[in-house]
Amino acid sequence: MSNQTSDLIKEEKSMKLEAIQAAEQKLLLNTYQRNPLLFVGGKGVYLRDEQGDDYLDLLSGIGVSALGYGHPVVEATIIAQSKKILHTSNLYYHEHTAELALRLTEISGMDRAFFCNSGTEAWEAALKVARAHAGVLRAEGKTIGTKFLAMEHGFHGRTIGAVSTTYKEKYRAPFAPVMPGVEFVRFNDVADLRAKFSDEVCGVCIEAVQGEGGVHPASQEFITAARELCDSTGALLLADEIQSGLGRTGEWFAYQHYGVQPDVTTLAKPIANGLPMGAMLCTEEAARAITPGMHGTTFGGGPLVCAVAIAVIDTMKQTNLLAHVREVGGYFKQQLEWLQSRHECVTAVRGLGLMLGMEIDSEEMAKRVASEMMKRYIIVNRTSETVLRFLPPYILEHKHVDQTIAAFDEIFSKITSTSAALAGATSAGENAHG
Ligand SMILES: Cc1ncc(COP(=O)(O)O)c(C=O)c1O
């Protein structure tokens, strides 16, 4: 194909992006500020745009496409299951529900599973279990209230219940009044947790590694204290593993790094590698509060998503992916620390496995760096204003890390030398006029 022809095709395709942008702006609820990229395909750790350009994806659709794009086992499972049956409703049995629940309870140390369609919905179920469980305890004569303790900078989703336990004011305020009875605790502040905990509390809400809050791992003391406090009254420890769970941190669940077992945990993002699915897992003790009709969902745990989730877990086991996540995640973190040692604008590196964050000294700089990375065909996400967050597919390799680190190093050096040159020119100018 001549250069001229390929340029024409590119132009025509970018017109397609423009047309879609214009239509969406008019037709969709104004919820997202999308990047101007139109993806049409993907393979492994790369996403392909309509121009045929491949992007190294260090976000994997916000921690979702854990096995990467176009995974042969996922594709084959979707095709095979879609030829059998897509939906049965929860009024009947299908062949995959118990099989998946068995796998999830085995890897989590929980007893029972509830399947739904998103992270928020899984978290909503967790809150309802905590409230219902406290109700059972009260009926048995125990003293326990209905309040939740949630964490500053925590994120649990967007329904009214979930958003009530989410810290950022801007997510809650427009929808006031949200669910009452939620108090926020300073994350990792054991004294604050102890001061706010009482027998009024039915559940303590925690992310072992806060994701949207800027990739902050909990301290061992904090998680241990939360477990002990809950044990002292019968309140439930609710661990939101929607972002950190199913291998993201190099263990099946991030709480397993701490040797602390929660009463309830929630999963979603990577569980069906891109198909919408959520799960709430809990102990037998917590589960006894729920009886038929109390909670449910039409689509939850359908045959297609369950079949894919089984395939995801089995593939992860067969390919020893947890060990790979630990190894490549350790290398990635080490390389980010090397960047920190070279560039003053990198103020911290945090995280576990392939859930990593690099803190930049200003929001403006963080934005600029993310957009420079995009120009180099590397997708990097920014969260909590100043944190560049990495949630790549678990199949990431050293060569991808090296490509990323080289691009950051070049960008940081360029920005620093441009700023130094500008500062030099300004002070030279000042001297000249002074
Ligand atoms: C920790 C955590 N909880 C809950 C949610 C909400 O999940 P979803 O967007 O699937 O509803 C998210 C999403 O980012 C999350 O990171």
Side-chain angles (χ1 to χ4, degrees):
M1 193 189 299
S2 75
N3 275 352
Q4 217 179 351
T5 321
S6 99
D7 283 352
L8 275 177
I9 291 174
K10 282 196 172 188
E11 205 172 299
E12 193 181 299
K13 285 178 174 167
S14 74
M15 278 169 62
K16 193 170 163 194
L17 171 60
E18 278 171 27
I20 288 174
Q21 282 176 311
E24 284 203 1
Q25 202 176 5
K26 195 163 162 239
L27 297 169
L28 293 193
L29 195 64
N30 191 14
T31 44
Y32 304 111
Q33 279 186 311
R34 300 195 206 279
N35 289 292
L37 287 172
L38 173 56
F39 288 121
V40 294
K43 194 75 199 157
V45 295
Y46 293 98
L47 275 171
R48 177 161 292 182
D49 75 4
E50 29 114 39
Q51 315 257 12
D53 290 320
D54 289 330
Y55 288 71
L56 173 59
D57 182 8
L58 299 179
L59 184 61
S60 64
I62 325 187
V64 169
S65 307
L67 300 184
Y69 300 97
H71 192 283
V73 175
V74 173
E75 281 184 1
T77 308
I78 292 174
I79 291 166
Q81 185 58 43
S82 67
K83 286 184 177 165
K84 287 190 189 170
I85 190 163
L86 288 179
H87 178 73
T88 55
S89 91
N90 283 300
L91 299 180
Y92 311 101
Y93 293 92
H94 68 73
E95 56 187 333
H96 303 307
T97 319
E99 248 190 276
L100 176 59
L102 179 63
R103 281 164 177 74
L104 289 173
T105 50
E106 268 172 10
I107 61 176
S108 64
M110 295 291 172
D111 299 314
R112 287 180 183 266
F114 169 76
F115 296 121
C116 50
N117 311 288
S118 70
T120 300
E121 213 188 319
W123 187 249
E124 200 69 30
L127 297 176
K128 287 177 82 173
V129 165
R131 280 270 172 91
H133 176 255
V136 168
L137 293 187
R138 279 193 300 278
E140 290 170 354
K142 300 213 173 81
T143 306
I144 184 162
T146 57
K147 194 172 142 181
F148 288 102
L149 293 185
M151 299 303 140
E152 291 190 2
H153 307 290
F155 183 88
H156 300 289
R158 309 287 197 151
T159 53
I160 289 289
V163 90
S164 310
T165 51
T166 288
Y167 182 63
K168 258 192 196 162
E169 180 73 11
K170 74 169 184 187
Y171 295 150
R172 284 182 284 123
F175 309 106
V178 295
M179 179 179 79
V182 180
E183 192 173 6
F184 290 96
V185 170
R186 277 193 297 279
F187 189 55
N188 281 341
D189 184 334
V190 175
D192 197 40
L193 177 64
R194 287 192 194 286
K196 288 172 179 162
F197 189 87
S198 71
D199 59 14
E200 276 303 302
V201 172
C202 70
V204 174
C205 310
I206 200 162
E207 291 160 88
V209 183
Q210 288 190 332
E212 303 300 306
V215 192
H216 287 278
S219 68
Q220 180 69 51
E221 301 71 47
F222 195 70
I223 295 222
T224 305
R227 179 68 275 172
E228 282 168 8
L229 288 167
C230 288
D231 286 343
S232 69
T233 61
L236 300 184
L237 181 59
L238 313 178
D240 183 341
E241 295 265 355
I242 288 161
Q243 193 163 138
S244 58
L246 218 78
R248 168 64 56 198
T249 66
E251 296 286 348
W252 285 112
F253 292 82
Y255 59 75
Q256 290 164 341
H257 289 275
Y258 297 84
V260 167
Q261 186 70 13
D263 303 289
V264 178
T265 192
T266 49
L267 276 177
K269 294 177 181 290
I271 187 170
N273 207 57
L275 295 184
M277 183 177 206
M280 191 268 320
L281 310 173
C282 65
T283 60
E284 195 65 48
E285 165 60 25
R288 74 193 174 98
I290 302 295
T291 52
M294 276 176 76
H295 191 57
T297 163
T298 299
F299 291 115
L304 182 67
V305 285
C306 284
V308 174
I310 289 167
V312 167
I313 294 171
D314 289 353
T315 302
M316 286 182 64
K317 285 180 179 168
Q318 282 151 15
T319 56
N320 206 7
L321 212 47
L322 293 187
H324 177 76
V325 168
R326 284 195 291 273
E327 196 281 320
V328 78
Y331 178 67
F332 199 165
K333 193 173 182 194
Q334 199 186 358
Q335 294 302 299
L336 292 171
E337 284 162 353
W338 176 79
L339 283 176
Q340 185 185 3
S341 72
R342 281 173 57 78
H343 301 284
E344 269 181 17
C345 61
V346 179
T347 56
V349 170
R350 295 184 292 266
L352 291 170
L354 282 174
M355 182 172 184
L356 296 169
M358 176 164 70
E359 182 104 41
I360 304 296
D361 63 358
S362 77
E363 184 174 348
E364 193 202 337
M365 177 76 162
K367 270 188 191 163
R368 196 167 155 194
V369 172
S371 103
E372 285 293 325
M373 289 296 273
M374 190 86 92
K375 287 183 200 156
R376 286 161 183 75
Y377 300 99
I378 302 177
I379 295 177
V380 172
N381 169 253
R382 194 172 56 86
T383 187
S384 272
E385 289 81 37
T386 51
V387 180
L388 299 180
R389 174 176 50 166
F390 310 99
L391 300 169
Y394 300 169
I395 55 171
L396 194 80
E397 293 172 27
H398 280 224
K399 65 180 180 193
H400 305 124
V401 175
D402 293 343
Q403 181 192 345
T404 303
I405 299 297
F408 272 130
D409 195 37
E410 185 228 323
I411 292 166
F412 289 141
S413 302
K414 195 174 109 187
I415 294 178
T416 318
S417 65
T418 316
S419 317
L422 278 176
T426 315
S427 63
E430 279 165 7
N431 286 343
H433 289 101

